[in-house]
Amino acid sequence: MKIKKSNAELEQKLEQIKTLIKQKIELPSKTSYAIIKNKIAIERALEPFVLSRDEIIKNKAGGKTSVSAKDDPKAFNEICEAINEIALELSEVEISTIKLSDIAEREMPLSAIDALSFMIEEG
């Protein structure tokens, strides 16, 4: 299934999945594989965004890898505006789905269900 989400939304989902992985919740192998496969697909989809973001920072921060609002408010604001613009761009990702029935019998925190919600098919 293909999904279209903004780069910001994909980054958020990626962080949720990484957090879920650290929780070491035991799931069926097929489900776990789909989650890892989706994590990799999201990381690949975000590569152009991450490269662009890093380039924006480097160019507007005078070659530095970061800039603070306190040290250079003008550059900081320009960087934020430019990053916000590309963060809203949509990316398409091919994801693997999992069936709700595959995880229905598992006790999982709401944060885990939220992290997986975009890949869950009811049934």
Side-chain angles (χ1 to χ4, degrees):
M1 172 171 88
K2 287 190 179 185
I3 60 167
K4 273 191 178 182
K5 295 214 177 272
S6 71
N7 290 318
E9 290 172 311
L10 287 176
E11 271 198 319
Q12 180 185 23
K13 284 297 175 191
L14 181 60
E15 289 308 311
Q16 288 177 320
I17 291 170
K18 286 179 178 181
T19 300
L20 177 62
I21 291 169
K22 289 178 186 176
Q23 291 177 2
K24 299 182 181 176
I25 296 170
E26 291 191 25
L27 296 169
S29 295
K30 184 177 175 182
T31 302
S32 297
Y33 176 73
I35 294 167
I36 298 301
K37 189 174 174 183
N38 289 336
K39 175 186 159 288
I40 292 167
I42 292 170
E43 288 171 338
R44 286 187 182 143
L46 284 171
E47 284 175 358
F49 167 69
V50 171
L51 290 173
S52 294
R53 181 181 61 200
D54 292 349
E55 192 65 27
I56 288 167
I57 294 168
K58 182 180 169 185
N59 289 338
K60 296 194 182 282
K64 299 176 191 170
T65 57
S66 66
V67 67
S68 72
K70 183 179 178 183
D71 294 337
D72 191 345
K74 183 181 178 202
F76 182 81
N77 287 336
E78 289 176 2
I79 289 168
C80 288
E81 287 175 17
I83 290 173
N84 285 338
E85 189 175 311
I86 63 171
L88 295 176
E89 293 175 2
L90 295 178
S91 292
E92 190 171 80
V93 183
E94 182 71 38
I95 61 154
S96 299
T97 58
I98 59 176
K99 294 191 184 296
L100 181 57
S101 59
D102 291 340
I103 61 171
E105 301 302 318
R106 309 255 180 239
E107 291 294 324
M108 297 173 68
L110 287 175
S111 60
I113 300 299
D114 184 42
L116 301 177
S117 62
F118 74 102
M119 66 179 86
I120 296 174
E121 288 182 343
E122 290 187 33

